[in-house]
Amino acid sequence: MAVIASAPGKVLMTGGYLILERPNAGIVLSTNARFYAIVKPLYEEIKPESWAWAWTDVKLTSPQMSRETIYKLSLKHLTLQPVSSSSASRNPFVEHAVQYAVAAAHAKLGKDKTDALQKILLQGLDITILGCNEFYSYRNQIELQGLPLTPESLALLPPFSSITFNAEESSGQKPEVAKTGLGSSAAMTTAVVASLLHYLGVVDLSSGKKVDADLDIVHMIAQTAHCIAQGKVGSGFDVSSAVYGSQRYVRFSPEVLSSAQGAVKGIPLEEVISDVLQAKWDHERKKFSLPPSMTLLLGEPGTGGSSTPSMVGAVKKWQKSDPQNSLETWRKLSEANSALELHLNALSGLAEKHSDAYKNVINRCSVLTSEKWVGGEDESSQAVIEALLGARNSMLGIRNHMRKMGEAAGIPLSCPRSNMEAGTVHTACL
């Protein structure tokens, strides 16, 4: 039986770069763009030679990139080796997701279920990955068709369209494919881990049956696979939102994954994953949502995405070279982040306590520029207007500090301001 799992993309609304260090918090929103992973048996029957050699086959297919890779998975050491591929490029995120999910199955299912697990694995793993079009830039394709760069034009493309690759000369600062920054690698890793863990019987993610304990296992394995695949222990907000949805997030201590980093040094993978599952994960998450009648409007600047590790490295280099100014910039940015969170929570509270006043103000202000957000009819309406203006000013402050940080670090952290009025409340669907 095939298993299909999906995970959403993300938008980090506040906490950019600060979220890398505890106890700084960030607000991360999950999107309706999702990554899908389909897992099914590669063979109908177990190949006789597989029992003797204790290996199995894994096929990874990415239709959007026209790629197919065949691996050999050692059932003893859980190593994954490519034997044939339609491309020279490899996908370390999926590779680690496969290895760590299988290791988690061995660690969680126990010896009494080893034979059943081996039979499933010996049928091979056929994995297909698909990402919604919103994860990638289709700017060139839309322009070639003579269409305007609008959401309506994007919606005309077939689902899971072929992906545009960045030019080779830009590969230093940009990913291989032109992406929109919605966390495709985290969503992809999480979807693959979730589908494999369900397929192997480690968790039950059936609709209506999901429980926190199962999601926690998915989170720990996906978080570990994603960090090791990208070669560093990041904040993890993107994986956390891919598993749990929109939230206020504080990162886990990097030491949590010290055993996983030791896997590279020859420690058996099953032992490593067992330690990861038993570790004290000290991240913090609290459910978050935008106030009613508000959605996030995203724009794709057409730069083909950026390499997150490269950008983070540039910021860290600036911090070391100019500690005094960088600390002051981070302090102001942190204050603006906290202020935005405060105003958004205030708007949510006002929507609950004074529903009619809130709706009237939002409906009126949604068609006006911020200079005209005045004239509250009563105390409740005035409170809504003040919270709206507070949220707008906080956003502008965040944008300003991010731009200054980017200029100091020599990287484009903030896109040039467009002609769109930044003060308008947008109520259109994402």
Side-chain angles (χ1 to χ4, degrees):
M1 181 181 294
V3 170
I4 303 174
S6 69
K10 54 74 186 172
V11 176
L12 186 63
M13 193 169 185
T14 70
Y17 293 90
L18 274 72
I19 203 171
L20 288 166
E21 299 178 3
R22 290 172 58 86
N24 297 322
I27 294 175
V28 54
L29 304 178
S30 58
T31 70
N32 56 359
R34 304 184 74 88
F35 227 99
Y36 296 82
I38 306 167
V39 179
K40 60 183 179 181
L42 187 56
Y43 308 114
E44 292 185 7
E45 297 180 355
I46 298 173
K47 298 169 67 175
E49 62 268 27
S50 297
W51 283 106
W53 295 100
W55 55 262
T56 192
D57 296 328
V58 177
K59 184 173 79 169
L60 171 63
T61 306
S62 174
Q64 291 168 283
M65 300 179 74
S66 300
R67 289 180 178 174
E68 180 181 292
T69 304
I70 303 294
Y71 299 90
K72 291 291 186 182
L73 173 65
S74 168
L75 299 182
K76 181 178 180 181
H77 303 290
L78 304 184
T79 53
L80 198 63
Q81 297 295 331
V83 294
S84 67
S85 178
S86 59
S87 169
S89 298
R90 296 177 62 172
N91 191 324
F93 295 99
V94 174
E95 291 177 10
H96 283 83
V98 172
Q99 290 178 275
Y100 292 7
V102 174
H106 282 285
K108 293 294 292 183
L109 294 178
K111 294 182 179 180
D112 59 321
K113 296 183 180 180
T114 299
D115 287 345
L117 176 61
Q118 290 289 87
K119 289 180 180 179
I120 294 175
L121 292 173
L122 286 171
Q123 284 186 267
L125 298 172
D126 187 349
I127 304 171
T128 301
I129 52 175
L130 296 163
C132 286
N133 290 345
E134 289 83 357
F135 282 108
Y136 304 102
S137 174
Y138 292 94
R139 190 185 190 95
N140 294 339
Q141 291 94 317
I142 292 174
E143 289 179 331
L144 285 174
Q145 295 181 36
L147 298 173
L149 296 172
T150 63
E152 291 75 20
S153 298
L154 181 63
L156 294 175
L157 295 175
F160 311 120
S161 292
S162 298
I163 297 170
T164 299
F165 287 81
N166 278 319
E168 291 183 7
E169 59 269 19
S170 68
S171 59
Q173 286 290 321
K174 295 182 180 181
E176 182 184 20
V177 298
K179 301 195 288 187
T180 57
L182 295 183
S184 57
S185 63
M188 175 179 62
T189 302
T190 302
V192 172
V193 167
S195 61
L196 281 169
L197 291 178
H198 184 97
Y199 180 77
L200 298 175
V202 181
V203 299
D204 185 355
L205 302 177
S206 303
S207 179
K209 292 185 178 181
K210 291 191 291 288
V211 295
D212 287 345
D214 284 344
L215 291 178
D216 290 345
I217 294 173
V218 173
H219 174 254
M220 289 185 282
I221 300 304
Q223 198 73 263
T224 304
H226 190 257
C227 285
I228 300 304
Q230 65 183 358
K232 67 180 183 68
V233 181
S235 68
F237 77 88
D238 43 7
V239 172
S240 187
S241 64
V243 176
Y244 301 108
S246 301
Q247 60 192 268
R248 180 186 188 272
Y249 177 82
V250 176
R251 70 158 303 155
F252 56 88
S253 299
E255 294 75 23
V256 170
L257 293 181
S258 58
S259 62
Q261 292 173 301
V264 182
K265 302 176 182 178
I267 301 175
L269 189 54
E270 185 179 339
E271 180 181 331
V272 167
I273 295 303
S274 181
D275 289 342
V276 166
L277 292 171
Q278 296 176 38
K280 183 180 179 182
W281 288 77
D282 55 357
H283 59 287
E284 301 172 23
R285 59 179 175 84
K286 181 180 179 182
K287 189 175 181 181
F288 180 87
S289 62
L290 290 174
S293 299
M294 291 189 185
T295 56
L296 194 64
L297 186 67
L298 303 177
E300 195 256 294
T303 57
S306 61
S307 172
T308 300
S310 298
M311 304 278 272
V312 171
V315 170
K316 287 186 176 294
K317 183 178 180 180
W318 162 64
Q319 287 180 291
K320 291 181 179 179
S321 64
D322 192 359
Q324 184 174 351
N325 286 327
S326 63
L327 281 173
E328 180 64 12
T329 300
W330 276 45
R331 182 187 65 79
K332 292 179 179 179
L333 184 56
S334 178
E335 290 176 353
N337 287 338
S338 297
L340 177 57
E341 181 181 350
L342 182 68
H343 291 307
L344 292 176
N345 286 333
L347 285 167
S348 294
L350 289 166
E352 184 177 351
K353 294 180 181 178
H354 308 287
S355 177
D356 291 340
Y358 178 86
K359 290 178 181 178
N360 290 335
V361 171
I362 293 297
N363 288 337
R364 186 171 78 249
C365 292
S366 66
V367 295
L368 301 173
T369 56
S370 58
E371 291 80 4
K372 299 178 181 179
W373 294 355
V374 294
E377 299 175 355
D378 50 40
E379 185 176 342
S380 300
S381 299
Q382 187 60 36
V384 175
I385 291 175
E386 291 177 359
L388 273 177
L389 288 170
R392 175 187 182 273
N393 292 333
S394 298
M395 287 182 180
L396 292 178
I398 293 171
R399 183 184 183 86
N400 179 51
H401 297 313
M402 289 290 285
R403 186 183 68 252
K404 289 182 177 179
M405 184 165 66
E407 291 172 351
I411 51 176
L413 293 185
S414 180
C415 301
R417 188 168 181 173
S418 67
N419 294 325
M420 184 178 69
E421 166 54 42
T424 304
V425 178
H426 296 279
T427 56
C429 292
L430 180 64

